[in-house]
Amino acid sequence: MPTNDLWAGALSQLLILEETGCAHSARHAIRLLDTLCEFDGLDADVRALCERASRRLEHRLGEQRACAA
């Protein structure tokens, strides 16, 4: 099962992204979400949620031009 540090890190990066719009935070969040998806035994619904969030962040990065931070 994923460690609490990975969950906390992903949430932290998502919050920073929402507060600042920073593309670096989006990239970090994508990486952490993708890492969480790789864990064996992860609930299928949680895995799907992490995968959707990762895809949405990637799409958002494609639309974003500059870091607001």
Side-chain angles (χ1 to χ4, degrees):
M1 194 65 187
T3 66
N4 288 337
D5 290 343
L6 284 175
W7 287 111
L11 179 58
S12 175
Q13 293 302 314
L14 288 170
L15 290 172
I16 291 169
L17 171 63
E18 286 303 312
E19 292 171 351
T20 66
C22 181
H24 293 292
S25 292
R27 287 186 199 95
H28 290 304
I30 290 167
R31 181 180 48 82
L32 291 167
L33 289 166
D34 290 345
T35 300
L36 287 166
C37 288
E38 294 173 2
F39 277 93
D40 291 332
L42 187 65
D43 180 87
D45 291 332
V46 174
R47 178 175 280 115
L49 178 66
C50 289
E51 289 171 348
R52 275 197 326 269
S54 178
R55 284 193 306 266
R56 286 181 185 176
L57 288 171
E58 288 173 353
H59 178 75
R60 182 174 174 175
L61 274 178
E63 294 177 347
Q64 187 175 358
R65 296 202 174 143
C67 182

